[in-house]
Amino acid sequence: MKRKLVAAIGIAGMMVSIAACGGGKGDDASKQDPKDRKGDLTVWLMVDAQSSWPELVKQTNDDFNKKYPGVKVNVQYQQWGDKTKKLDAALSGDKFPDVVELGNTETMTYILNGALGEIDAKKYDNSDTWIEGLKDTCAYEGKLYCVPYYAGARVAIYNKDMFKAGTGSDQLPTTEDELFKALDKVQDKYKKDRAFSSLYLPGRYWYAAMSYVAAYGGQIATYDEGGKEWKAALSTPEAQKGIQHFVDLVKKYNHGDQTKDEQDHANVMANEKAALIYGNGWEAGSVVDSKANGNPKLDGKIATAGMPGPNGKALPSFIGGSDLATISKSKNQDLAQAWISLFTSEKSQAALVAKDILPNNTKQLEPLKSKPETAPIANAVPDAWFTPIAPGWAAVEKKQTLQLMLLDILKGKSVADATKAADAEINSLINKAS
């Protein structure tokens, strides 16, 4: 997949800025004795670390300062909603982080615009067992530009009491046919509430829609080695079957606002307007967490399970998660790599595993496959799918091409016409940086 980086995506200005900083290697400083190093190291982490594993951040800083006592680590927590806007602004100036956390769908944009420093995998003690789906989001043309941090996958999150009231069992069925029968019974049990959805699937929930595409053997786009370009594939028969399946579920079971996305579906469940949602494993906690607008009264009533999919198989999940990268303009890249190495080490990953967070490697993931609390999400990782690792994919997400396609279908546009239009737009956007 040879692609031109600079001219193709219009980032010459940023590259000049990076070059003017001497590539940010900090070569002279890196030769100093660690105890003689002075200065600051700025780390941008998402707020998840602050709220869910602050002790891991402290442990990493403490271990780092044992080796580099003269370097002050400044951890700044960011919100997902405005992180990329802030990062883009920082990169255009002279006050930027040395380490940054990126969602794994964000990495390619920053790899291609030259913002991330190259990573040496040998400096990481568990790199030989990194989950391939996460590692792929950091790789480009044989080089590595970030480090897998943690993994995520989507699962069925359901209210045990509601299913028991409707079906007599608090266990989620393991096949889709049986699930449909159970959903019908649950819906009938709570039919007095017209806004109640036995399965709450938001209409613009493209991650879920693409899981059904994957279930039928379809893809968003494929790479043509001969033509050296990406080709959208949503108008293939397989993809169309998956999209139609998803839309049919939305229309049948979502009795709320079908035009919404999934951002507040955990709150819908917290308000007892849904018996089942399809979400990230951690969202089960959000349903009952008062700090996340959840409902503590549902504590102990919310469970997770593998989401049944078409044809008697589990529904393939999108492999989510975060990566950590150094900034190429930074003069402290060796320190940045040292901090990331400690924060993603096997010891640190064990701290995440203890909180039922999926680690970045298959070795520590394996025990979670048999643990009741984590089995559904851990077992979803090996067969998970990912978005096209293409230069222009970020533009597709920014234009909300998939969300708008789904909305058009819900408004009456045929799947054939909607997918054809989406493919045209994807082809236009996805290869612009090729």
Side-chain angles (χ1 to χ4, degrees):
M1 281 185 220
K2 297 294 182 184
R3 311 181 193 107
K4 300 294 182 182
L5 294 186
V6 181
I9 56 178
I11 52 155
M14 177 178 283
M15 295 304 291
V16 170
S17 175
I18 291 171
C21 293
K25 298 294 183 182
D27 294 331
D28 293 338
S30 65
K31 295 176 182 179
Q32 295 179 353
D33 187 297
K35 293 183 178 180
D36 293 333
R37 293 292 292 273
K38 304 291 183 183
D40 296 326
L41 186 74
T42 300
V43 177
W44 279 19
L45 291 179
M46 303 313 296
V47 71
D48 311 77
Q50 182 182 32
S51 60
S52 300
W53 45 89
E55 67 280 5
L56 173 56
V57 179
K58 183 179 185 303
Q59 170 192 295
T60 300
N61 290 343
D62 289 346
D63 290 345
F64 180 86
N65 283 133
K66 288 178 182 177
K67 184 175 182 179
Y68 300 98
V71 178
K72 180 182 178 181
V73 180
N74 178 24
V75 177
Q76 299 175 1
Y77 294 101
Q78 309 298 322
Q79 301 287 341
W80 286 108
D82 64 355
K83 189 277 302 293
T84 55
K85 183 177 181 180
K86 289 178 64 176
L87 180 59
D88 292 345
L91 291 173
S92 67
D94 58 3
K95 292 184 179 180
F96 44 81
D98 301 292
V99 175
V100 63
E101 177 182 345
L102 296 168
N104 59 359
T105 61
E106 300 170 343
T107 56
M108 187 56 64
T109 297
Y110 292 100
I111 290 172
L112 290 169
N113 68 19
L116 307 185
E118 189 175 341
I119 293 290
D120 182 359
K122 295 177 182 179
K123 295 182 178 180
Y124 300 86
D125 65 10
N126 55 10
S127 60
D128 58 341
T129 58
W130 281 342
I131 293 170
E132 282 298 319
L134 291 183
K135 184 179 178 181
D136 286 347
T137 69
C138 291
Y140 180 76
E141 296 190 333
K143 296 181 180 181
L144 202 65
Y145 293 91
C146 53
V147 176
Y149 173 13
Y150 65 85
R154 284 166 170 77
V155 294
I157 302 171
Y158 69 101
N159 186 310
K160 294 188 294 183
D161 282 4
M162 287 181 173
F163 269 82
K164 188 170 185 178
T167 68
S169 172
D170 65 359
Q171 299 297 304
L172 196 76
T174 57
T175 68
E176 194 176 57
D177 287 343
E178 291 300 317
L179 176 61
F180 291 162
K181 293 177 183 178
L183 291 173
D184 291 342
K185 291 178 180 178
V186 173
Q187 190 67 47
D188 186 63
K189 179 68 177 180
Y190 295 92
K191 62 184 178 182
K192 290 183 179 180
D193 184 350
R194 293 185 179 181
F196 177 81
S197 304
S198 56
L199 168 61
Y200 182 75
L201 268 183
R204 289 192 290 127
Y205 190 1
W206 71 272
Y207 286 113
M210 295 305 108
S211 286
Y212 286 98
V213 166
Y216 280 97
Q219 298 181 65
I220 299 172
T222 59
Y223 187 71
D224 178 12
E225 292 287 351
K228 302 298 181 184
E229 67 177 2
W230 286 86
K231 292 186 177 180
L234 293 176
S235 55
T236 61
E238 296 82 2
Q240 288 184 353
K241 285 181 182 178
I243 292 168
Q244 186 65 64
H245 192 107
F246 168 79
V247 171
D248 289 344
L249 292 179
V250 173
K251 289 182 175 179
K252 180 176 181 179
Y253 292 112
N254 182 344
H255 297 283
D257 184 350
Q258 295 182 352
T259 67
K260 295 178 68 174
D261 62 22
E262 75 281 10
Q263 293 301 313
D264 70 341
H265 65 172
N267 293 136
V268 173
M269 174 168 272
N271 290 326
E272 301 182 75
K273 297 296 183 180
L276 170 64
I277 62 174
Y278 179 58
N280 294 290
W282 55 264
E283 289 182 288
S286 297
V287 174
V288 301
D289 186 358
S290 59
K291 295 180 181 179
N293 296 319
N295 185 354
K297 293 180 180 179
L298 295 180
D299 191 21
K301 300 179 181 181
I302 305 301
T304 61
M307 185 70 171
N311 304 316
K313 298 180 180 179
L315 185 66
S317 173
F318 169 78
I319 185 165
S322 278
D323 302 317
L324 293 163
T326 68
I327 297 299
S328 59
K329 291 168 63 173
S330 168
K331 295 181 179 180
N332 297 318
Q333 285 193 59
D334 62 318
L335 295 176
Q337 285 215 49
W339 190 93
I340 295 173
S341 180
L342 290 170
F343 194 59
T344 60
S345 68
E346 190 167 327
K347 173 185 174 183
S348 294
Q349 292 291 302
L352 295 181
V353 169
K355 293 179 176 291
D356 293 340
I357 303 298
L358 300 188
N360 65 3
N361 64 90
T362 56
K363 176 183 175 181
Q364 290 171 291
L365 176 70
E366 196 62 32
L368 298 183
K369 293 181 179 180
S370 56
K371 185 178 178 181
E373 297 85 353
T374 55
I377 188 171
N379 283 299
V381 169
D383 296 322
W385 61 273
F386 193 68
T387 54
I389 305 176
W393 178 251
V396 177
E397 290 202 17
K398 185 176 182 179
K399 290 201 71 171
Q400 298 193 347
T401 302
L402 301 182
Q403 294 96 314
L404 295 176
M405 175 194 71
L406 295 170
L407 193 58
D408 283 344
I409 296 170
L410 286 167
K411 289 180 177 179
K413 194 170 187 177
S414 72
V415 171
D417 288 343
T419 54
K420 183 179 179 180
D423 275 357
E425 182 164 275
I426 290 172
N427 282 331
S428 173
L429 295 170
I430 207 168
N431 290 304
K432 277 189 174 181
S434 300

